[in-house]
Amino acid sequence: MFHFFKINMRKMRNLLLTFMIGTLMSGSVLAQAEEDNIPAKRREQQEKYDRGEGLYPAKQRSKTRLGMQGGYSGIFGDVQQRNGFTGALDVEKALGHVVSIRGIAAYNFARGLNSKLSRGYAGHRDGNSSNGIGNAFNNPLGGGGNPGYVNAATGVAKGVAYNYAAKGFELGAQAVFHLGALNFYNEKNKMDYYIGIGPSILISNTMIDAKKVNNGTYSLYDFESIFASAPKDEGKLFGKGSAWYRRNQIRKELVKLLDSETPNKPYNYESQSESDAPVRFNIAKRDGFKKVAGTNIWNLMPAAMVSGGFRYRLNDLVELGLEQRLTLTSSDLLDGAKWQERFGSKVSTPTAGKDVWSNTTLSVGFRLGKNGSDALWWVNPMNTAAAATADNRKMMKQMGEDSDGDGVADLFDKDPNTPDGVAVNGAGQTLDMDQDGVADSQDDQPYTPKGCSVDGRGIAKDADGDGVPDCLDKEANTKTGTLVDNNGKAIIFPEQKAFDCSNCVQVKSEPTTPQDVVAPECNLPSVHFKGGGSAISQEFYPDMYYVANYMMNHPGTSIEVIGNSSSSEAVARKRAEAAINFMAGNFGIDRSRFTISTTGGTKVGTGNSYKNPKTGPLDYLNDRVDFKCR
């Protein structure tokens, strides 16, 4: 009963400890595994968390992302986009699992071409002007008697097809918000959706192909003839006769016209566009890398860079992505045009909207940093808490499992394969009460004296076969059949002298019968008790073994068990019964071979020594059990 109570108290203690420190222990295990990812300046916070003194683990190291982008570039404005490209480098560092800071440097090139006629480069005036000639902006080849793009007969600007080629260098910084980090269902996400916003500086130059060059001589383009000769719009939805087909044919002819110059260069834009930038400066013209005569106006303006896209994580080092990046400015002249066109009218009105430079890119990113870490936007911020929860679930499951059915949960069971029906201790290990190395379930002598060598059945070794274990035998080589005491020493009887029976009176002349023969008197040890108890102390196990062994060697002998007590006869009887139970239970001695007698209240010496400290040692003699052969 006591053993069962002790085991269950131990299980209860372990259960409480599991609930109290489960989360802390799990967090510590995870923190230990990620210790190399904690910077030195945050190590103290992590150590406090490991010790249970802090609520939050330290932020891990985050790799730095180096990205390269490339793709299509165009301008949303007053001129239709034709083609373009962009390239960019970016560096990004996480501030946490959701927010990062990114620096980006980009080069953008875009071209545009309208497939409709506009008022022309010579016809832009405000609404108060009476005609389209006066303060006109940039009328190529106009002046000195040459009307340029003005109809000399009507004074109205000729129709032109707006076009441009724009270059831009942009340097910006963004705060990037990662939506993929909000997915708490994986340790690391495979997809990252993000948006970014921040300021930038844009340096741009926009040129227009307004003049046709032929062997060094400039002339005006005849844009109107292209439109006049184009297929008619017959109101059809598809194919010839549709508006779409007409625009497509016009565009093809315009491209052919613009590219017909000599020398034939795809980017032969010679005229500077109008500018509304707050800062403008001149840079020498270049033909490729070679300087040529003249200068170009470059515009410097503040802008806002807005990005959105997604990335796919290939592994801990590389990621691929698709991004849309917009540059928002206060300029309406990134594409060189800002007028609402009414062909044939003398009055134009500026458009209300501002131009937006758009870049659609594919990207590849490389995450640089210490092995084992990652950019934090890929890492689930709930990993520490999730690991703690998982460990607690595992422990709770183990606490409910007992695979060997020994009553000790697997979580605490140090011997999870105990055979059925075998008694165990609180750690699930097979009981071995005498600690002789043989489990009680297989021990034929479960109370072997401490320190004795035993055989495979747990029985103390007795080399000379005198009934006294070798560990207690002080005469280890006793001859077979020799009567020994409880120390294994041979009992030497005094020599018997001839008895003078000259004066004896014969009482019985008949020969004695076997029933009259009494077994020689045996010399058995006594067992002593402490205080008023009746439990047999372990120090007397060898004496009990000696008595039991004697009875096993003399099966015809019965024993009178004499209980003694300084206090009462009831206590004396309990002691005698305890001795009988010990030998019957451990050595299989038949209880019918024992009789009980008591001498309760009998004391050695005088006075009440049981309660007198000065005579206390006498109690050791009074509180005992004697064994007498019968």
Side-chain angles (χ1 to χ4, degrees):
M1 178 65 183
F2 173 75
H3 179 66
F4 174 80
F5 176 76
K6 183 169 68 174
I7 290 176
N8 282 275
M9 283 299 292
R10 186 176 301 172
K11 291 170 65 178
M12 181 62 71
R13 179 199 66 189
N14 291 329
L15 177 63
L16 292 175
L17 286 175
T18 300
F19 279 110
M20 291 173 62
I21 67 173
T23 301
L24 174 62
M25 183 175 66
S26 302
S28 298
V29 170
L30 183 65
Q32 181 66 31
E34 299 176 345
E35 182 177 354
D36 290 342
N37 293 336
I38 306 299
K41 63 182 180 180
R42 292 194 286 268
R43 188 63 56 81
E44 182 179 356
Q45 178 184 349
Q46 184 64 39
E47 290 174 352
K48 286 184 178 180
Y49 178 79
D50 292 343
R51 296 193 301 265
E53 299 173 3
L55 293 177
Y56 304 102
K59 186 178 77 172
Q60 302 174 34
R61 285 189 178 91
S62 179
K63 286 184 175 179
T64 299
R65 178 186 182 274
L66 176 62
M68 296 183 292
Q69 301 180 28
Y72 175 79
S73 183
I75 296 175
F76 292 112
D78 304 294
V79 182
Q80 292 176 305
Q81 298 177 26
R82 183 177 176 184
N83 51 40
F85 63 88
T86 182
L89 293 176
D90 65 87
V91 178
E92 187 172 355
K93 185 71 173 181
L95 299 180
H97 292 271
V98 177
V99 181
S100 63
I101 295 296
R102 178 168 78 160
I104 183 168
Y107 170 76
N108 309 322
F109 177 81
R111 291 202 300 170
L113 174 63
N114 271 353
S115 56
K116 64 179 181 179
L117 283 176
S118 299
R119 275 189 52 77
Y121 300 115
H124 300 310
R125 287 180 60 100
D126 59 36
N128 297 322
S129 299
S130 59
N131 57 62
I133 302 175
N135 301 315
F137 169 77
N138 195 13
N139 180 12
L141 300 180
N146 189 343
Y149 279 104
V150 176
N151 188 312
T154 64
V156 177
K158 293 181 179 181
V160 298
Y162 278 155
N163 61 83
Y164 71 88
K167 302 174 184 178
F169 296 91
E170 187 173 14
L171 186 65
Q174 288 185 313
V176 183
F177 301 88
H178 301 270
L179 306 181
L182 302 180
N183 178 9
F184 298 151
Y185 296 101
N186 297 291
E187 181 180 356
K188 288 185 178 181
N189 297 315
K190 295 295 289 185
M191 296 293 295
D192 175 38
Y193 303 92
Y194 64 92
I195 55 176
I197 186 169
S200 68
I201 295 295
L202 175 65
I203 301 174
S204 67
N205 168 259
T206 303
M207 302 295 289
I208 296 171
D209 190 358
K211 297 181 291 185
K212 180 179 180 180
V213 61
N214 189 358
N215 295 321
T217 302
Y218 285 98
S219 61
L220 300 179
Y221 285 113
D222 185 7
F223 292 108
E224 293 181 1
S225 64
I226 299 293
F227 288 84
S229 62
K232 303 297 182 182
D233 181 1
E234 301 175 2
K236 295 181 179 180
L237 294 178
F238 305 102
K240 290 184 178 180
S242 66
W244 174 86
Y245 182 79
R246 172 181 167 81
R247 287 194 302 269
N248 189 51
Q249 292 301 311
I250 290 174
R251 192 173 184 85
K252 287 182 178 179
E253 292 301 319
L254 289 173
V255 170
K256 188 183 299 183
L257 176 66
L258 293 176
D259 290 346
S260 64
E261 300 176 285
T262 57
N264 186 9
K265 295 183 179 180
Y267 306 129
N268 186 30
Y269 295 83
E270 79 292 325
S271 301
Q272 181 71 52
S273 75
E274 188 178 359
S275 173
D276 56 2
V279 178
R280 282 165 279 186
F281 54 93
N282 294 328
I283 296 180
K285 287 185 177 181
R286 289 182 178 273
D287 184 3
F289 292 98
K290 181 180 179 182
K291 285 185 179 181
V292 295
T295 60
N296 287 333
I297 298 176
W298 285 79
N299 309 299
L300 187 149
M301 64 191 77
M305 183 186 293
V306 180
S307 303
F310 64 87
R311 298 167 182 165
Y312 178 78
R313 184 174 66 87
L314 291 179
N315 50 46
D316 288 344
L317 297 176
V318 183
E319 59 195 51
L320 301 178
L322 176 66
E323 178 174 306
Q324 179 65 48
R325 187 177 74 252
L326 302 177
T327 300
L328 311 178
T329 71
S330 60
S331 175
D332 192 22
L333 286 168
L334 294 179
D335 60 359
K338 68 172 183 178
W339 303 97
Q340 298 180 25
E341 304 296 345
R342 295 181 180 89
F343 179 64
S345 172
K346 294 183 179 181
V347 179
S348 296
T349 304
T351 56
K354 305 300 180 181
D355 293 346
V356 176
W357 208 318
S358 171
N359 300 284
T360 303
T361 64
L362 294 173
S363 67
V364 57
F366 302 94
R367 301 193 295 283
L368 310 177
K370 192 168 185 178
N371 291 336
S373 62
D374 206 337
L376 289 183
W377 57 80
W378 291 114
V379 180
N380 190 335
M382 299 298 293
N383 278 348
T384 299
T389 302
D391 285 348
N392 283 339
R393 288 201 311 269
K394 181 178 179 181
M395 284 189 286
M396 293 301 296
K397 182 180 180 181
Q398 289 178 329
M399 290 178 65
E401 293 179 346
D402 181 12
S403 57
D404 56 7
D406 61 358
V408 179
D410 290 346
L411 179 63
F412 311 112
D413 199 336
K414 295 183 178 180
D415 185 4
N417 299 310
T418 305
D420 292 340
V422 175
V424 297
N425 59 19
Q429 297 170 313
T430 304
L431 285 178
D432 181 12
M433 295 296 292
D434 53 10
Q435 299 180 359
D436 60 358
V438 179
D440 288 355
S441 59
Q442 301 174 347
D443 200 335
D444 290 344
Q445 190 181 81
Y447 296 101
T448 304
K450 187 175 182 180
C452 291
S453 298
V454 298
D455 58 19
R457 295 165 51 203
I459 299 176
K461 294 181 179 179
D462 181 12
D464 55 8
D466 60 359
V468 178
D470 292 347
C471 57
L472 303 176
D473 200 336
K474 295 183 179 180
E475 194 174 282
N477 299 312
T478 307
K479 293 181 179 180
T480 303
T482 303
L483 186 61
V484 297
D485 59 16
N486 59 342
N487 292 319
K489 292 184 177 182
I491 300 175
I492 300 175
F493 294 94
E495 183 180 354
Q496 298 295 322
K497 296 181 179 180
F499 184 70
D500 183 5
C501 200
S502 58
N503 296 321
C504 293
V505 177
Q506 183 175 0
V507 177
K508 189 174 184 180
S509 58
E510 295 84 358
T512 58
T513 63
Q515 291 77 8
D516 295 325
V517 178
V518 179
E521 184 176 356
C522 58
N523 183 18
L524 300 177
S526 297
V527 176
H528 296 267
F529 297 82
K530 296 179 180 180
S534 59
I536 298 175
S537 301
Q538 190 172 358
E539 62 184 293
F540 291 105
Y541 286 178
D543 299 291
M544 296 299 296
Y545 172 81
Y546 182 84
V547 175
N549 190 63
Y550 182 88
M551 296 187 72
M552 289 187 286
N553 291 331
H554 301 84
T557 302
S558 297
I559 296 293
E560 178 183 4
V561 183
I562 306 169
N564 298 276
S565 172
S566 302
S567 56
S568 67
E569 187 173 352
V571 173
R573 175 169 288 277
K574 285 184 178 181
R575 292 171 175 169
E577 291 173 348
I580 294 174
N581 292 337
F582 187 94
M583 288 186 284
N586 293 305
F587 304 106
I589 308 299
D590 191 346
R591 294 178 182 272
S592 64
R593 296 177 63 187
F594 298 100
T595 58
I596 295 176
S597 63
T598 60
T599 58
T602 302
K603 300 182 176 64
V604 177
T606 59
N608 189 1
S609 62
Y610 183 71
K611 297 181 180 180
N612 186 346
K614 295 182 179 180
T615 59
L618 297 177
D619 295 338
Y620 186 76
L621 299 176
N622 295 325
D623 298 320
R624 69 186 190 281
V625 167
D626 299 322
F627 302 95
K628 184 177 181 181
C629 295
R630 299 184 57 200

